[in-house]
Amino acid sequence: MTAVQIPARDIILEVESPTPDTWLRVENLKNVTINRAENEETADLTNYDSDGSYEQWIMQRGASMALAGDELKDHLTGALQPGRGRVEQMAGEDKVGFDSIGRVRFRHPMDSQWKIWSATFSVGETGGETNPVSAWAATITKSGKTTLAAVA
């Protein structure tokens, strides 16, 4: 086995379309950051017998994924690319309660399994300064446990 570095830009990220088990690639990303400690909660176990050392248990695990890229739209229709459009749809004002949950899957090319999250979606800031193109951002927050599926 040879250990190799993994280019961050090689991540493959897909969001589930309205048709179950049909996936859309999230296009033109410039940054994907996965935080595997987001929404982690702990219980403080420190007491007089801890001899001045902090003690804890992890009571809840969580994770999130921050996405960033340029805002792109069809120059004639204003439509977003399919994957980006689905992320924005899942972050819509009407997506509350059970309807706020969608699925994403991600992996690197050398991975033999997809990591699949049930998740909520939030669209972040768009826009920018005078000369750069308009930025686009979204946050995907895991809800429940990660599942795995073989790469077909």
Side-chain angles (χ1 to χ4, degrees), residues 90 94-103 118-121 143:
M90 288 306 303
D94 62 330
K95 298 295 185 181
V96 295
F98 177 77
D99 290 337
S100 69
I101 299 291
R103 292 196 312 164
S118 289
T120 58
F121 298 73
S143 177

Side-chain angles (χ1 to χ4, degrees), residues 81-108:
Q81 295 168 295
R84 289 262 186 105
R86 181 63 176 160
V87 169
E88 292 212 9
Q89 181 184 35
M90 288 306 303
E93 290 182 20
D94 62 330
K95 298 295 185 181
V96 295
F98 177 77
D99 290 337
S100 69
I101 299 291
R103 292 196 312 164
V104 294
R105 68 181 186 177
F106 58 97
R107 67 180 179 88
H108 282 93

Side-chain angles (χ1 to χ4, degrees), residues 9 21 26 72 78 87 93 95 100 105 110 131 139 148:
R9 69 174 177 235
D21 294 317
V26 181
L72 298 168
V87 169
E93 290 182 20
K95 298 295 185 181
S100 69
R105 68 181 186 177
M110 67 184 72
N131 292 321
T139 301
L148 302 173

Side-chain angles (χ1 to χ4, degrees), residues 11-108:
I11 193 166
I12 302 164
L13 173 63
E14 297 179 343
V15 60
E16 191 171 34
S17 80
T19 304
D21 294 317
T22 303
W23 300 90
L24 305 168
R25 186 174 69 86
V26 181
E27 309 89 343
N28 295 302
L29 295 169
K30 286 189 170 186
N31 189 332
V32 176
T33 303
I34 300 168
N35 180 349
R36 290 185 173 94
E38 184 74 19
N39 296 317
E40 192 170 87
E41 295 289 340
T42 62
D44 183 346
L45 303 177
T46 310
N47 60 40
Y48 291 172
D49 296 328
S50 298
D51 293 325
S53 294
Y54 177 77
E55 297 180 55
Q56 75 171 21
W57 283 349
I58 302 292
M59 300 303 288
Q60 171 180 297
R61 302 250 183 219
S64 69
M65 183 181 302
L67 313 179
D70 296 332
E71 189 171 23
L72 298 168
K73 294 183 178 182
D74 183 282
H75 75 287
L76 296 176
T77 67
L80 296 168
Q81 295 168 295
R84 289 262 186 105
R86 181 63 176 160
V87 169
E88 292 212 9
Q89 181 184 35
M90 288 306 303
E93 290 182 20
D94 62 330
K95 298 295 185 181
V96 295
F98 177 77
D99 290 337
S100 69
I101 299 291
R103 292 196 312 164
V104 294
R105 68 181 186 177
F106 58 97
R107 67 180 179 88
H108 282 93

